[in-house]
Amino acid sequence: MSIYLDLKNNKDYSKLQEASNIIKAGGIVLFPTETVYGIGADCFNEQAVKKVFQAKGRDFHNPINLLVSSIDMVNMVANNISDLEYSLMKAFFPGPFTLILSKKDTIPSIVTAGQSTVGVRMPNNEIALKLVEYSGVPLATPSANLSGKPSGTLFQNVYDDFNDKVDCLIDGGNSSIGIESTIVKVIDNVPHILRPGAITAEQIKAVAGNVINDFSASPSDSLKHYSLNSKSILVYSSNNALMISKIIEIAGNYKNPIIISQSKNIDNYKNFHFIDIGNDMNSIAHNIFKALKEADNYNSDIIIIEGIEQQGLGTAIMNRLIKACDNNFIVVS
């Protein structure tokens, strides 16, 4: 039976000492961050990290990033850190930003899938920071989702998936951002974005002077992500009326369609089952994984998702949606 800690309604963070003791004893803990929920283990304990892989059903070829609570803790796991890498950490730590660094030999190869680098992030969430701090070590922490499925942003969803698979679950309420961190690797003194997130290319360029989008270079890019049980399709047009028309046309070909839509377009889908994800980019990012899970539970014969402009945070949102639809993506012009 997993230990349950309610820090959503009772913000007594001294309770995190109990969770950190579980980490120190080789256990695994599910906890919130500002991006999505995660499952953490002592990064130096190979057997504990293995439990994380097993709980998620995660491919051992898929490396796990580390969460730290300070720059000093970064130095426990990484070496040969450049001035630019320090500048990026200064600018974006704590926050939804993961930096790929040269790893120290003390990191077990299971964490990095045998690679010479390791991803490091300092979360901007008090529960996560305190848990790492009390544990005294960086935590190997992938997102709290069954491997290949949408990431967990609501505690109830991750509880249902992991109540019998982890040693402790910490309820910190809903994730504030709702999509995973931006992942960056500095190559030849230029930041390469391996996965887009809430920290945008424009923000990184303001610090580094240059940036390259290199999404296909992510080590896990060849693996399935955010896959849904139902058939799904993503539709986008810069002309909103054309996009709506195409979605209604597609929906009319199915018996039980469900449409994931921005608030401004909901009235157009009153003859169909729909899920409202908000209008602004922050609301959409916050709601998108919750909407995907809800749509998948509806048992429809088609999930149709409105696309958004791939700019700023929209780039990260569309990156997740294209993967969720297994590249079944229509652009209407």
Side-chain angles (χ1 to χ4, degrees):
M1 185 72 176
S2 302
I3 294 171
Y4 168 74
L5 298 180
D6 179 6
L7 296 183
K8 174 185 176 183
N9 300 303
N10 181 358
K11 300 187 185 301
D12 179 6
Y13 293 153
S14 66
K15 292 181 178 180
L16 289 168
Q17 294 282 7
E18 182 178 4
S20 70
N21 288 336
I22 290 171
I23 295 287
K24 292 172 184 177
I28 61 175
V29 175
L30 183 149
F31 60 94
T33 79
E34 80 278 25
T35 56
V36 298
Y37 271 78
I39 300 174
D42 176 351
C43 74
F44 299 114
N45 186 328
E46 185 171 351
Q47 292 306 310
V49 175
K50 187 176 182 180
K51 292 178 187 177
V52 174
F53 278 95
Q54 292 169 335
K56 284 174 55 74
R58 186 181 179 93
D59 191 309
F60 283 99
H61 292 97
N62 192 2
I64 295 180
N65 297 323
L66 308 183
L67 297 188
V68 299
S69 59
S70 67
I71 297 296
D72 285 343
M73 196 173 274
V74 175
N75 294 321
M76 292 172 63
V77 295
N79 55 25
N80 303 318
I81 302 173
S82 69
D83 290 342
L84 176 55
E85 288 166 338
Y86 274 119
S87 295
L88 291 168
M89 286 190 282
K90 183 178 179 181
F92 302 121
F93 281 11
F97 183 82
T98 298
L99 189 60
I100 305 295
L101 298 169
S102 175
K103 82 172 186 75
K104 287 188 172 177
D105 291 340
T106 49
I107 301 296
S109 62
I110 189 174
V111 173
T112 63
Q115 299 179 44
S116 61
T117 56
V118 65
V120 181
R121 181 167 95 86
M122 188 188 300
N124 190 17
N125 174 283
E126 194 168 0
I127 293 172
L129 284 172
K130 287 288 187 186
L131 178 61
V132 177
E133 180 186 339
Y134 290 160
S135 299
V137 292
L139 300 187
T141 310
S143 54
N145 57 294
L146 298 175
S147 190
K149 294 298 182 180
S151 298
T153 58
L154 305 182
F155 179 77
Q156 188 58 54
N157 287 341
V158 293
Y159 178 89
D160 291 342
D161 285 341
F162 291 103
N163 181 38
D164 58 347
K165 296 179 179 179
V166 301
D167 301 299
C168 176
L169 303 103
I170 302 171
D171 183 354
N174 297 346
S175 301
S176 58
I177 293 178
I179 56 173
E180 308 92 338
S181 62
T182 304
I183 297 180
V184 166
K185 183 178 183 180
V186 175
I187 302 171
D188 296 330
N189 214 40
V190 177
H192 288 233
I193 300 178
L194 307 188
R195 181 181 71 189
I199 301 298
T200 65
E202 292 78 11
Q203 290 173 287
I204 296 166
K205 187 175 181 180
V207 173
N210 197 5
V211 67
I212 294 174
N213 286 328
D214 200 7
F215 305 157
S216 64
S218 172
S220 64
D221 193 65
S222 62
L223 302 172
K224 273 222 175 250
H225 295 275
Y226 322 118
S227 62
L228 304 173
N229 296 322
S230 300
K231 179 180 178 181
S232 56
I233 186 168
L234 177 63
V235 180
Y236 173 72
S237 177
S238 57
N239 183 316
N240 194 53
L242 281 180
M243 179 175 69
I244 292 168
S245 177
K246 186 64 175 179
I247 288 173
I248 292 172
E249 176 191 332
I250 294 169
N253 294 322
Y254 291 86
K255 292 182 179 179
N256 191 30
I258 186 168
I259 298 169
I260 296 177
S261 166
Q262 298 172 71
S263 302
K264 65 182 182 181
N265 295 331
I266 286 301
D267 287 346
N268 297 281
Y269 306 126
K270 58 186 178 182
N271 294 326
F272 304 100
H273 191 87
F274 61 82
I275 299 173
D276 183 350
I277 53 173
N279 274 329
D280 64 278
M281 293 294 184
N282 288 330
S283 296
I284 294 169
H286 179 75
N287 292 324
I288 197 62
F289 283 140
K290 176 178 70 172
L292 290 174
K293 277 186 168 287
E294 182 181 338
D296 222 19
N297 290 336
Y298 182 65
N299 198 29
S300 64
D301 51 355
I302 185 72
I303 298 170
I304 311 171
I305 308 169
E306 285 189 351
I308 58 175
E309 185 180 6
Q310 295 191 59
Q311 223 177 26
L313 184 55
T315 302
I317 296 167
M318 287 293 281
N319 171 267
R320 305 322 193 265
L321 291 177
I322 290 169
K323 290 180 178 179
C325 292
D326 200 21
N327 292 303
N328 192 9
F329 178 29
I330 295 175
V331 178
V332 185
S333 57

